[in-house]
Amino acid sequence: MPQITPVILVGGSGKRLWPLSRESMPKQFVPLLGKQSTFQQTLVRVADRGLFSRPVIATNDAYRFMAEKQASEVGMEIDILVEPSRRDSGPAMAAAAVYTRNLGAKAVLALASDHLVIGAEEFLSGCRDGLNAVQQGGIVTFGIPPTEPKTDYGYIRPGSERIGPVQKVAAFVEKPNAQTALRYIAEGLLWNSGNFLFPPELMLSEMTRFEPAMAAAAEEAVGKAKKTGSTVFLDADAFAKAPAKSIDYAVMERTDKCWVVPAKFRWSDLGTWDALLDVGEADSAGNVTEGPVEVDHVRNSYIRSDGPLTAVIGVEDVVVVAMNDAVLVGHRDNLPRLKDVVQRMSDGKHRAATEHTVIHRPWGSFQDIDRGERFRAKRLTVNPGAKLSLQSHNRRAEHWVVVKGVAEVTLDGETTTLHENESTYIPIGGIHRLANPGPDLLEVVEVQTGDYVEEDDIVRYEDIYARV
């Protein structure tokens, strides 16, 4: 049996799960259920090297370092395909198909990084069933037997032709209203999970047939790509030529070569807070709670705190999510409006609409402690052996105090070592770098002073992470 090459799609901002999911740290990297993120759970799902080869991660430049870090935490080696711009799933899938075809892959499994799958053996069984159809020239999707009349999922109508348990797709059906969804369930339709198994050559030939500009852009973007280690940077100009379109609209709903595996595993796209209420462990009143939470006379609600102690009293059918810098309170019936609310907050330049208090970087992370007119205080955490870029600032000076670990500080060509309770000053325009030469985490309190203290006041001269 040939190996399957997994391609894991990592994109999107997850606005419907705000404030836990935000642009700076979307839901696929957040532990929604358990200690691992859904991205890590997806990696573990394809860890069987008897069936799967090394995964390829299709993502953007902002998320590639988090993907590397979280893959390392679960002991997985990955290749990363960096998309230079967001063009929806069609161009991403096309570029991944070209890249994996060039590697010699015969079967590609395209998976979303933010879905929940319960039933590891059932998942593997579905992949093996799908391979039979792939080997006979089919593109396979995974259909989920509905458990309720969902109106926020697309549906698949299976046909009568079969290859074992795999059925030919008769039609893809758009999201229905509630009455139509009930009829779809009665007629045996399946939820469309948005995960696919296909021969890369066939996917590209179908894309050339239906979206020739997309296929051509993908070929050019991969052909002109630049590679650094296991990271491949697609050519920006070529990739931008691809029409922004989902893979469903580009190919899946138009091809006559599509088959569906009726999945035996439990699945959710975790698209809303209601989904977490559905899959979580509820108490006798129907509530799912996470974190330091106390409820009294509460029913059928999702209550979560990732920070402050949170008490909720005398309500039902609500979602309450409390974090250190943002709080969501809403009735479950109105949750579809959350995406628009987050967009309005983002348009209004509310920092917490898109950024967490902890901002992750390839070298570690930083967290704002305080900020005001002409100053900003941060806590920097630098990973062992990591270092920031060699840089300067035009409008701010920086004061560094080491509170844990050992710091190596470079300033205008001279390098010094600082230990706990020691400090240094970086003047405006000083060319500097902070590094952690030790085996333990380095923690530094940084106080910035000047007339502008935002992240874009930076000139990089040298960066081991290939940032600009």
Side-chain angles (χ1 to χ4, degrees), residues 341-356:
V341 172
V342 174
Q343 187 60 53
R344 289 202 302 272
M345 293 189 295
S346 180
D347 293 342
K349 308 300 182 185
H350 292 284
R351 187 181 303 275
T354 57
E355 293 185 3
H356 281 278

Side-chain angles (χ1 to χ4, degrees), residues 138-141 167-170 172 252 255-260:
I139 296 174
V140 173
T141 185
Q167 297 172 261
K168 191 73 179 289
V169 171
F172 284 86
M252 301 307 296
T255 181
D256 58 356
K257 296 177 173 58
C258 192
W259 298 74
V260 59

Side-chain angles (χ1 to χ4, degrees), residues 41-69:
Q41 292 170 1
T42 306
L43 284 172
V44 171
R45 205 173 301 133
V46 295
D48 182 353
R49 286 296 166 264
L51 182 59
F52 301 107
S53 60
R54 177 178 170 126
V56 176
I57 312 302
T59 189
N60 58 56
D61 197 57
Y63 299 153
R64 65 181 171 103
F65 303 110
M66 184 55 63
E68 287 178 341
K69 179 177 183 293

Side-chain angles (χ1 to χ4, degrees), residues 233-244:
F233 298 86
L234 297 172
D235 183 78
D237 292 338
F239 194 73
K241 298 176 185 176

